[in-house]
Amino acid sequence: MRIIALMLCLLLPFNAQAQTTGQPSGTINVTDDAAQDAAIATRIRDIMGELEGFEDITVSVSSGIVTLRGHTLDAPTSQRLNDLAGRVEGVVAIENEVTETTDVVQRLNPAVERFKARGHQIIAFLPLAMIALSLLILIVWFGFFIARRQQPWNRLAPNAFIADIYRQVLRLVFVIGGLVVALDILNATALLSGILGAAGIVGLAIGFAVRDTVENFIASIMLSIRQPFRPNDTVEIEGDTGKVIRLTSRATILLSFDGNHIRIPNSTVFKSRIVNFSRNAERRFTLELSVAPEADLAHAQSLALSTLEGLPFVLSTPEASVWIESVGDSWVNMGMAAWINQNDTSIVLARSEAIRLVQSAYDTAGVSAKVPAYRVLHEGMAPLERASETAPKPEYEGPDVPPIAAQDVDAREDKQLSQIIDQERAGEHVDLLRENADQE
């Protein structure tokens, strides 16, 4: 019982507040006039008769106290009765006993009426909406028509990829312009700022989500403009070497010398060190051979240089060169370099032939490094004479060795790979490279 009494005490302030909400204020008249009560009731009924939602409300007035009974659709409508009755002169207090109706038909009728009203509004609005839609379609179609034309976009852009970007930007401009015109006809231009704001937020979120894709796309644009290589160029990118097949909007495609396709993302290509072996026709190859430490090194240099210069595929300009690279335990390493025209000569075969012929010249002249021999001396044995001290030293006189004919070093493999690349490029593929493009 104590708990119930405590709960009633807690609820009394809230009930008192509910009863006083919306109550009239002012001085209360000391006289009790029945005619005035009737006039107050009549006035309140007349007011509610002009408003919707108060058809089931009854009004009674006694000594200036207004009692309201009945049903309304919702609580806010019931609360409005206090505001209306409290504004009538002579009202002392208001007893609002109105409750929300539970009748399904009465609850659904307002919604049905609203749907009907909106349907009539849509029908009345339809001709204007059709005009706005027609203008939107016309403007967008005109923009797409201009974007589909080859000129002036192909003339303004450095390549087809940039021209397509120009076309996409033009289409977007005409779509936004069509929306502005259509919304202006409908007197709803304020909606455009909301659409653009939402599109900006969505675009920002998508940009963070596909950051790598966006970076790759921007790299494709920069590579298509700069074009650091052309089709069929031999390049090295991130340790991968091969001939360039094509540059797409996402990756650079190479054909390795093993016949494999190498696909490198353009973002990686743009940030990497690119070695283009095909930019200059002249290309240098190097090799290293050993001679005996007791050999005449100047003569060995001259012999190697004359051999390299005598090769038919070695260019006279730039000149070949020979130098002493390093000294080992039983040999001296000679470094050599020569230049070829890589468009006609295979650098692999040229280097192979140079090694073969120079080594042959060294062997014939007797200056090649011998295989090192090691002797083990036991305690008590007499030391043997060094073989190098008893071995006769070669004598060099005049031109040393009759020249040996060089084998064919034609760049057949490169030409065959180029034919394969030409066949692949002949298909219908998107390619951002041009044969005559300016290179950086």
Side-chain angles (χ1 to χ4, degrees):
M1 294 297 293
R2 292 181 179 178
I3 296 175
I4 296 175
L6 180 60
M7 293 179 63
L8 291 175
C9 291
L10 293 174
L11 290 174
L12 282 176
F14 293 100
N15 291 334
Q17 183 179 0
Q19 293 294 332
T20 58
T21 301
Q23 298 294 323
S25 60
T27 304
I28 299 176
N29 196 347
V30 296
T31 61
D32 186 7
D33 191 347
Q36 184 178 3
D37 292 342
I40 292 173
T42 302
R43 181 57 177 160
I44 294 176
R45 292 189 190 99
D46 292 340
I47 293 173
M48 292 190 301
E50 298 296 329
L51 301 175
E52 295 183 0
F54 303 117
E55 293 82 3
D56 296 335
I57 304 300
T58 59
V59 181
S60 60
V61 181
S62 176
S63 299
I65 300 174
V66 179
T67 302
L68 304 172
R69 297 184 178 88
H71 305 283
T72 57
L73 292 177
D74 49 33
T77 304
S78 174
Q79 185 61 34
R80 287 180 58 195
L81 289 172
N82 286 12
D83 299 335
L84 292 174
R87 294 169 59 186
V88 177
E89 184 180 0
V91 175
V92 176
I94 302 172
E95 292 289 340
N96 192 339
E97 300 178 2
V98 178
T99 60
E100 294 186 37
T101 183
T102 58
D103 186 83
V104 177
V105 176
Q106 291 183 4
R107 298 296 290 264
L108 290 179
N109 280 339
V112 174
E113 294 298 327
R114 287 195 298 269
F115 281 120
K116 289 182 179 179
R118 289 170 183 169
H120 291 304
Q121 291 176 355
I122 291 174
I123 293 174
F125 194 70
L126 192 59
L128 189 62
M130 293 301 296
I131 294 174
L133 180 61
S134 300
L135 283 176
L136 172 62
I137 295 175
L138 181 62
I139 293 173
V140 172
W141 175 86
F142 182 69
F144 276 61
F145 171 76
I146 297 177
R148 281 196 302 268
R149 298 178 62 86
Q150 297 295 324
Q151 300 300 337
W153 315 116
N154 290 347
R155 185 171 63 253
L156 295 176
N159 54 61
F161 183 55
I162 303 300
D164 287 338
I165 294 178
Y166 288 167
R167 294 186 178 96
Q168 294 294 339
V169 172
L170 182 68
R171 293 187 183 101
L172 181 62
V173 169
F174 272 84
V175 168
I176 295 177
L179 283 174
V180 171
V181 172
L183 292 176
D184 187 59
I185 292 175
L186 300 177
N187 197 21
T189 52
L191 184 62
L192 182 63
S193 60
I195 295 175
L196 294 178
I201 295 174
V202 172
L204 184 62
I206 294 176
F208 278 108
V210 294
R211 180 176 55 186
D212 293 340
T213 303
V214 173
E215 181 184 8
N216 200 45
F217 179 77
I218 296 174
S220 301
I221 296 176
M222 298 304 297
L223 287 174
S224 66
I225 295 175
R226 296 170 57 182
Q227 301 222 358
F229 40 74
R230 293 177 180 174
N232 268 321
D233 279 1
T234 301
V235 297
E236 179 186 347
I237 304 172
E238 283 288 301
D240 294 313
T241 304
K243 284 184 161 298
V244 178
I245 299 178
R246 69 177 60 88
L247 172 68
T248 68
S249 58
R250 292 181 296 275
T252 299
I253 313 299
L254 303 182
L255 179 66
S256 70
F257 292 102
D258 296 329
N260 300 319
H261 277 220
I262 303 174
R263 185 184 184 90
I264 307 175
N266 286 336
S267 58
T268 302
V269 176
F270 185 73
K271 294 183 293 185
S272 299
R273 182 180 70 96
I274 301 175
V275 180
N276 192 330
F277 298 104
S278 301
R279 178 66 68 88
N280 298 321
E282 298 81 7
R283 186 173 177 184
R284 191 181 80 153
F285 67 87
T286 60
L287 59 133
E288 188 174 308
L289 294 175
S290 300
V291 298
E294 65 274 7
D296 186 344
L297 299 183
H299 182 77
Q301 284 183 268
S302 175
L303 178 60
L305 184 60
S306 61
T307 303
L308 290 175
E309 291 176 344
L311 297 177
F313 50 82
V314 171
L315 301 178
S316 58
T317 304
E319 297 179 350
S321 58
V322 180
W323 63 92
I324 299 174
E325 183 68 29
S326 61
V327 178
D329 294 338
S330 302
W331 57 83
V332 177
N333 295 321
M334 308 296 293
M336 310 169 197
W339 293 78
I340 62 169
N341 185 338
Q342 61 178 342
N343 295 330
D344 302 323
T345 305
S346 170
I347 189 169
V348 176
L349 297 179
R351 185 174 182 274
S352 172
E353 278 299 287
I355 293 175
R356 184 180 72 87
L357 296 175
V358 174
Q359 184 65 51
S360 176
Y362 278 172
D363 292 341
T364 304
V367 297
S368 298
K370 303 299 187 292
V371 177
Y374 299 94
R375 294 175 298 169
V376 179
L377 298 179
H378 297 280
E379 185 177 357
M381 291 183 62
L384 300 176
E385 292 185 304
R386 293 179 55 188
S388 60
E389 295 176 355
T390 58
K393 296 184 179 180
E395 297 182 358
Y396 311 105
E397 297 179 358
D400 307 275
V401 193
I404 302 175
Q407 298 179 356
D408 183 18
V409 292
D410 185 54
R412 289 187 300 271
E413 183 183 6
D414 287 351
K415 295 177 181 178
Q416 291 169 358
L417 289 177
S418 298
Q419 292 176 359
I420 295 175
I421 292 175
D422 291 338
Q423 292 174 0
E424 293 200 13
R425 289 178 55 81
E428 294 295 331
H429 297 284
V430 177
D431 188 14
L432 310 183
L433 296 177
R434 294 185 298 169
E435 296 285 351
N436 58 349
D438 295 332
Q439 292 183 315
E440 60 174 5

